[in-house]
Amino acid sequence: MRRVVGIVVVVWLVIGVLAAVQRGYFGSGQDVSCKTFGDTALTIVAGPLNYVGVNPKVQCKVPQPSS
């Protein structure tokens, strides 16, 4: 049973990585921010749900450093 669950989780995450690649989250040469990292991570975790209309997005509010 553990082996089956492990295989399902790996396949789920691989499908999520494929969705992230199709959306252009990797290799775009842009700086990584909280939003881009969060969007990429959520897309990977959502896995196959990306192909049924789920489009996870993150809104980050990071405090600015004092000057």
Side-chain angles (χ1 to χ4, degrees):
M1 185 64 174
R2 282 182 161 183
R3 183 172 289 160
V4 172
V5 171
I7 291 171
V8 169
V9 168
V10 168
V11 169
W12 183 279
L13 294 175
V14 167
I15 292 171
V17 169
L18 292 174
V21 168
Q22 288 178 342
R23 291 183 180 174
Y25 290 151
F26 299 114
S28 62
Q30 63 185 357
D31 291 334
V32 177
S33 67
C34 174
K35 182 181 177 356
T36 57
F37 176 80
D39 288 347
T40 304
L42 280 177
T43 298
I44 292 170
V45 170
L49 298 177
N50 290 290
Y51 295 104
V52 293
V54 174
N55 189 11
K57 296 290 180 185
V58 173
Q59 292 184 359
C60 295
K61 294 184 180 181
V62 179
Q64 298 296 321
S66 59
S67 46

